[in-house]
PDB file of all heavy atoms in Angstrom:
ATOM      1  N   GLN A 786      73.843 102.618 132.256  1.00 95.00           N
ATOM      2  CA  GLN A 786      72.744 103.350 132.896  1.00 95.00           C
ATOM      3  C   GLN A 786      71.367 102.782 132.572  1.00 95.00           C
ATOM      4  O   GLN A 786      70.385 103.197 133.170  1.00 95.00           O
ATOM      5  CB  GLN A 786      72.796 104.822 132.492  1.00 95.00           C
ATOM      6  CG  GLN A 786      74.042 105.521 132.988  1.00 95.00           C
ATOM      7  CD  GLN A 786      74.178 106.932 132.434  1.00 95.00           C
ATOM      8  OE1 GLN A 786      73.423 107.348 131.565  1.00 95.00           O
ATOM      9  NE2 GLN A 786      75.169 107.663 132.920  1.00 95.00           N
ATOM     10  N   SER A 787      71.304 101.834 131.656  1.00 91.00           N
ATOM     11  CA  SER A 787      70.021 101.301 131.204  1.00 91.00           C
ATOM     12  C   SER A 787      69.603 100.084 132.027  1.00 91.00           C
ATOM     13  O   SER A 787      70.421  99.208 132.327  1.00 91.00           O
ATOM     14  CB  SER A 787      70.136 100.894 129.726  1.00 91.00           C
ATOM     15  OG  SER A 787      69.044 100.116 129.327  1.00 91.00           O
ATOM     16  N   LEU A 788      68.319 100.043 132.360  1.00 93.00           N
ATOM     17  CA  LEU A 788      67.795  98.867 133.074  1.00 93.00           C
ATOM     18  C   LEU A 788      67.854  97.614 132.198  1.00 93.00           C
ATOM     19  O   LEU A 788      67.994  96.505 132.697  1.00 93.00           O
ATOM     20  CB  LEU A 788      66.358  99.122 133.531  1.00 93.00           C
ATOM     21  CG  LEU A 788      66.171 100.211 134.588  1.00 93.00           C
ATOM     22  CD1 LEU A 788      64.687 100.455 134.855  1.00 93.00           C
ATOM     23  CD2 LEU A 788      66.895  99.844 135.866  1.00 93.00           C
ATOM     24  N   GLN A 789      67.754  97.807 130.878  1.00 93.00           N
ATOM     25  CA  GLN A 789      67.829  96.688 129.935  1.00 93.00           C
ATOM     26  C   GLN A 789      69.260  96.417 129.456  1.00 93.00           C
ATOM     27  O   GLN A 789      69.470  95.547 128.618  1.00 93.00           O
ATOM     28  CB  GLN A 789      66.950  96.963 128.702  1.00 93.00           C
ATOM     29  CG  GLN A 789      65.483  97.075 128.988  1.00 93.00           C
ATOM     30  CD  GLN A 789      65.100  98.490 129.441  1.00 93.00           C
ATOM     31  OE1 GLN A 789      65.820  99.459 129.186  1.00 93.00           O
ATOM     32  NE2 GLN A 789      63.982  98.600 130.140  1.00 93.00           N
ATOM     33  N   SER A 790      70.205  97.168 129.986  1.00 93.00           N
ATOM     34  CA  SER A 790      71.615  97.065 129.576  1.00 93.00           C
ATOM     35  C   SER A 790      71.774  97.244 128.065  1.00 93.00           C
ATOM     36  O   SER A 790      72.494  96.501 127.400  1.00 93.00           O
ATOM     37  CB  SER A 790      72.208  95.714 130.008  1.00 93.00           C
ATOM     38  OG  SER A 790      72.205  95.606 131.404  1.00 93.00           O
ATOM     39  N   ARG A 791      71.107  98.277 127.540  1.00 94.00           N
ATOM     40  CA  ARG A 791      71.178  98.570 126.113  1.00 94.00           C
ATOM     41  C   ARG A 791      71.357 100.059 125.896  1.00 94.00           C
ATOM     42  O   ARG A 791      70.810 100.873 126.619  1.00 94.00           O
ATOM     43  CB  ARG A 791      69.885  98.129 125.415  1.00 94.00           C
ATOM     44  CG  ARG A 791      69.668  96.626 125.526  1.00 94.00           C
ATOM     45  CD  ARG A 791      68.793  96.103 124.473  1.00 94.00           C
ATOM     46  NE  ARG A 791      69.349  96.426 123.168  1.00 94.00           N
ATOM     47  CZ  ARG A 791      68.741  96.143 122.047  1.00 94.00           C
ATOM     48  NH1 ARG A 791      67.580  95.549 122.058  1.00 94.00           N
ATOM     49  NH2 ARG A 791      69.267  96.443 120.891  1.00 94.00           N
ATOM     50  N   ALA A 792      72.092 100.383 124.860  1.00 93.00           N
ATOM     51  CA  ALA A 792      72.221 101.777 124.444  1.00 93.00           C
ATOM     52  C   ALA A 792      71.079 102.101 123.487  1.00 93.00           C
ATOM     53  O   ALA A 792      70.439 101.194 122.939  1.00 93.00           O
ATOM     54  CB  ALA A 792      73.558 101.990 123.744  1.00 93.00           C
ATOM     55  N   HIS A 793      70.845 103.397 123.274  1.00 93.00           N
ATOM     56  CA  HIS A 793      69.844 103.790 122.282  1.00 93.00           C
ATOM     57  C   HIS A 793      70.236 103.211 120.932  1.00 93.00           C
ATOM     58  O   HIS A 793      71.418 103.116 120.585  1.00 93.00           O
ATOM     59  CB  HIS A 793      69.727 105.314 122.198  1.00 93.00           C
ATOM     60  CG  HIS A 793      68.628 105.767 121.294  1.00 93.00           C
ATOM     61  ND1 HIS A 793      68.821 105.968 119.952  1.00 93.00           N
ATOM     62  CD2 HIS A 793      67.317 106.039 121.540  1.00 93.00           C
ATOM     63  CE1 HIS A 793      67.684 106.355 119.399  1.00 93.00           C
ATOM     64  NE2 HIS A 793      66.754 106.404 120.356  1.00 93.00           N
ATOM     65  N   TYR A 794      69.229 102.856 120.161  1.00 93.00           N
ATOM     66  CA  TYR A 794      69.413 102.213 118.870  1.00 93.00           C
ATOM     67  C   TYR A 794      70.397 102.972 117.979  1.00 93.00           C
ATOM     68  O   TYR A 794      71.296 102.386 117.382  1.00 93.00           O
ATOM     69  CB  TYR A 794      68.031 102.106 118.197  1.00 93.00           C
ATOM     70  CG  TYR A 794      67.993 101.286 116.946  1.00 93.00           C
ATOM     71  CD1 TYR A 794      68.049  99.903 117.000  1.00 93.00           C
ATOM     72  CD2 TYR A 794      67.890 101.903 115.705  1.00 93.00           C
ATOM     73  CE1 TYR A 794      68.009  99.144 115.852  1.00 93.00           C
ATOM     74  CE2 TYR A 794      67.845 101.153 114.549  1.00 93.00           C
ATOM     75  CZ  TYR A 794      67.909  99.771 114.623  1.00 93.00           C
ATOM     76  OH  TYR A 794      67.876  99.026 113.484  1.00 93.00           O
ATOM     77  N   TYR A 795      70.249 104.287 117.885  1.00 95.00           N
ATOM     78  CA  TYR A 795      71.115 105.064 116.991  1.00 95.00           C
ATOM     79  C   TYR A 795      72.487 105.368 117.581  1.00 95.00           C
ATOM     80  O   TYR A 795      73.418 105.687 116.840  1.00 95.00           O
ATOM     81  CB  TYR A 795      70.407 106.322 116.486  1.00 95.00           C
ATOM     82  CG  TYR A 795      69.590 105.974 115.264  1.00 95.00           C
ATOM     83  CD1 TYR A 795      68.228 105.726 115.353  1.00 95.00           C
ATOM     84  CD2 TYR A 795      70.197 105.819 114.029  1.00 95.00           C
ATOM     85  CE1 TYR A 795      67.491 105.359 114.235  1.00 95.00           C
ATOM     86  CE2 TYR A 795      69.475 105.453 112.914  1.00 95.00           C
ATOM     87  CZ  TYR A 795      68.128 105.224 113.015  1.00 95.00           C
ATOM     88  OH  TYR A 795      67.418 104.853 111.900  1.00 95.00           O
ATOM     89  N   VAL A 796      72.649 105.244 118.873  1.00 96.00           N
ATOM     90  CA  VAL A 796      73.996 105.313 119.459  1.00 96.00           C
ATOM     91  C   VAL A 796      74.769 104.069 119.023  1.00 96.00           C
ATOM     92  O   VAL A 796      75.927 104.153 118.605  1.00 96.00           O
ATOM     93  CB  VAL A 796      73.931 105.420 121.000  1.00 96.00           C
ATOM     94  CG1 VAL A 796      75.322 105.303 121.614  1.00 96.00           C
ATOM     95  CG2 VAL A 796      73.269 106.729 121.413  1.00 96.00           C
ATOM     96  N   ASP A 797      74.113 102.935 119.059  1.00 96.00           N
ATOM     97  CA  ASP A 797      74.715 101.682 118.610  1.00 96.00           C
ATOM     98  C   ASP A 797      75.058 101.752 117.115  1.00 96.00           C
ATOM     99  O   ASP A 797      76.149 101.359 116.704  1.00 96.00           O
ATOM    100  CB  ASP A 797      73.751 100.530 118.895  1.00 96.00           C
ATOM    101  CG  ASP A 797      74.351  99.170 118.591  1.00 96.00           C
ATOM    102  OD1 ASP A 797      75.513  98.934 118.975  1.00 96.00           O
ATOM    103  OD2 ASP A 797      73.651  98.346 117.970  1.00 96.00           O
ATOM    104  N   ILE A 798      74.140 102.266 116.320  1.00 97.00           N
ATOM    105  CA  ILE A 798      74.380 102.377 114.878  1.00 97.00           C
ATOM    106  C   ILE A 798      75.522 103.355 114.586  1.00 97.00           C
ATOM    107  O   ILE A 798      76.362 103.090 113.720  1.00 97.00           O
ATOM    108  CB  ILE A 798      73.091 102.794 114.136  1.00 97.00           C
ATOM    109  CG1 ILE A 798      72.083 101.644 114.171  1.00 97.00           C
ATOM    110  CG2 ILE A 798      73.386 103.191 112.691  1.00 97.00           C
ATOM    111  CD1 ILE A 798      70.735 101.983 113.585  1.00 97.00           C
ATOM    112  N   ALA A 799      75.571 104.480 115.288  1.00 97.00           N
ATOM    113  CA  ALA A 799      76.655 105.448 115.094  1.00 97.00           C
ATOM    114  C   ALA A 799      78.005 104.793 115.394  1.00 97.00           C
ATOM    115  O   ALA A 799      78.975 104.976 114.648  1.00 97.00           O
ATOM    116  CB  ALA A 799      76.450 106.677 115.979  1.00 97.00           C
ATOM    117  N   HIS A 800      78.044 104.025 116.480  1.00 98.00           N
ATOM    118  CA  HIS A 800      79.273 103.338 116.870  1.00 98.00           C
ATOM    119  C   HIS A 800      79.708 102.345 115.794  1.00 98.00           C
ATOM    120  O   HIS A 800      80.836 102.379 115.308  1.00 98.00           O
ATOM    121  CB  HIS A 800      79.038 102.640 118.213  1.00 98.00           C
ATOM    122  CG  HIS A 800      80.106 101.690 118.618  1.00 98.00           C
ATOM    123  ND1 HIS A 800      81.398 102.091 118.873  1.00 98.00           N
ATOM    124  CD2 HIS A 800      80.076 100.347 118.806  1.00 98.00           C
ATOM    125  CE1 HIS A 800      82.122 101.036 119.206  1.00 98.00           C
ATOM    126  NE2 HIS A 800      81.340  99.970 119.168  1.00 98.00           N
ATOM    127  N   ARG A 801      78.805 101.474 115.410  1.00 98.00           N
ATOM    128  CA  ARG A 801      79.151 100.421 114.436  1.00 98.00           C
ATOM    129  C   ARG A 801      79.463 100.976 113.060  1.00 98.00           C
ATOM    130  O   ARG A 801      80.405 100.534 112.399  1.00 98.00           O
ATOM    131  CB  ARG A 801      78.016  99.404 114.347  1.00 98.00           C
ATOM    132  CG  ARG A 801      77.853  98.595 115.603  1.00 98.00           C
ATOM    133  CD  ARG A 801      76.657  97.681 115.507  1.00 98.00           C
ATOM    134  NE  ARG A 801      76.348  97.084 116.778  1.00 98.00           N
ATOM    135  CZ  ARG A 801      75.962  95.840 116.917  1.00 98.00           C
ATOM    136  NH1 ARG A 801      75.822  95.062 115.872  1.00 98.00           N
ATOM    137  NH2 ARG A 801      75.688  95.359 118.119  1.00 98.00           N
ATOM    138  N   SER A 802      78.651 101.939 112.607  1.00 98.00           N
ATOM    139  CA  SER A 802      78.881 102.476 111.262  1.00 98.00           C
ATOM    140  C   SER A 802      80.216 103.210 111.184  1.00 98.00           C
ATOM    141  O   SER A 802      80.922 103.094 110.178  1.00 98.00           O
ATOM    142  CB  SER A 802      77.732 103.382 110.837  1.00 98.00           C
ATOM    143  OG  SER A 802      77.680 104.536 111.628  1.00 98.00           O
ATOM    144  N   SER A 803      80.575 103.939 112.222  1.00 98.00           N
ATOM    145  CA  SER A 803      81.870 104.631 112.225  1.00 98.00           C
ATOM    146  C   SER A 803      83.020 103.632 112.116  1.00 98.00           C
ATOM    147  O   SER A 803      83.976 103.854 111.364  1.00 98.00           O
ATOM    148  CB  SER A 803      82.037 105.445 113.510  1.00 98.00           C
ATOM    149  OG  SER A 803      81.052 106.424 113.605  1.00 98.00           O
ATOM    150  N   LEU A 804      82.895 102.546 112.852  1.00 98.00           N
ATOM    151  CA  LEU A 804      83.949 101.523 112.796  1.00 98.00           C
ATOM    152  C   LEU A 804      83.993 100.829 111.439  1.00 98.00           C
ATOM    153  O   LEU A 804      85.063 100.414 110.990  1.00 98.00           O
ATOM    154  CB  LEU A 804      83.757 100.505 113.917  1.00 98.00           C
ATOM    155  CG  LEU A 804      83.975 101.038 115.329  1.00 98.00           C
ATOM    156  CD1 LEU A 804      83.679  99.951 116.359  1.00 98.00           C
ATOM    157  CD2 LEU A 804      85.390 101.579 115.508  1.00 98.00           C
ATOM    158  N   LEU A 805      82.863 100.709 110.759  1.00 98.00           N
ATOM    159  CA  LEU A 805      82.847 100.108 109.426  1.00 98.00           C
ATOM    160  C   LEU A 805      83.309 101.074 108.341  1.00 98.00           C
ATOM    161  O   LEU A 805      83.959 100.671 107.370  1.00 98.00           O
ATOM    162  CB  LEU A 805      81.445  99.581 109.100  1.00 98.00           C
ATOM    163  CG  LEU A 805      81.023  98.340 109.883  1.00 98.00           C
ATOM    164  CD1 LEU A 805      79.547  98.032 109.635  1.00 98.00           C
ATOM    165  CD2 LEU A 805      81.883  97.142 109.508  1.00 98.00           C
ATOM    166  N   TYR A 806      82.983 102.359 108.506  1.00 98.00           N
ATOM    167  CA  TYR A 806      83.420 103.343 107.516  1.00 98.00           C
ATOM    168  C   TYR A 806      84.927 103.568 107.574  1.00 98.00           C
ATOM    169  O   TYR A 806      85.523 103.983 106.577  1.00 98.00           O
ATOM    170  CB  TYR A 806      82.688 104.671 107.697  1.00 98.00           C
ATOM    171  CG  TYR A 806      81.253 104.663 107.223  1.00 98.00           C
ATOM    172  CD1 TYR A 806      80.255 105.281 107.958  1.00 98.00           C
ATOM    173  CD2 TYR A 806      80.894 104.040 106.034  1.00 98.00           C
ATOM    174  CE1 TYR A 806      78.929 105.275 107.518  1.00 98.00           C
ATOM    175  CE2 TYR A 806      79.586 104.025 105.590  1.00 98.00           C
ATOM    176  CZ  TYR A 806      78.606 104.645 106.335  1.00 98.00           C
ATOM    177  OH  TYR A 806      77.302 104.648 105.904  1.00 98.00           O
ATOM    178  N   ALA A 807      85.561 103.308 108.711  1.00 98.00           N
ATOM    179  CA  ALA A 807      87.015 103.504 108.820  1.00 98.00           C
ATOM    180  C   ALA A 807      87.784 102.620 107.831  1.00 98.00           C
ATOM    181  O   ALA A 807      88.560 103.146 107.022  1.00 98.00           O
ATOM    182  CB  ALA A 807      87.480 103.283 110.263  1.00 98.00           C
TER     183      ALA A 807
END
Side-chain angles (χ1 to χ4, degrees):
Q786 296 173 352
S787 167
L788 294 175
Q789 296 84 21
S790 297
R791 298 203 57 184
H793 185 271
Y794 189 75
Y795 274 98
V796 172
D797 186 45
I798 290 175
H800 169 64
R801 292 176 190 219
S802 66
S803 298
L804 293 177
L805 289 171
Y806 285 138

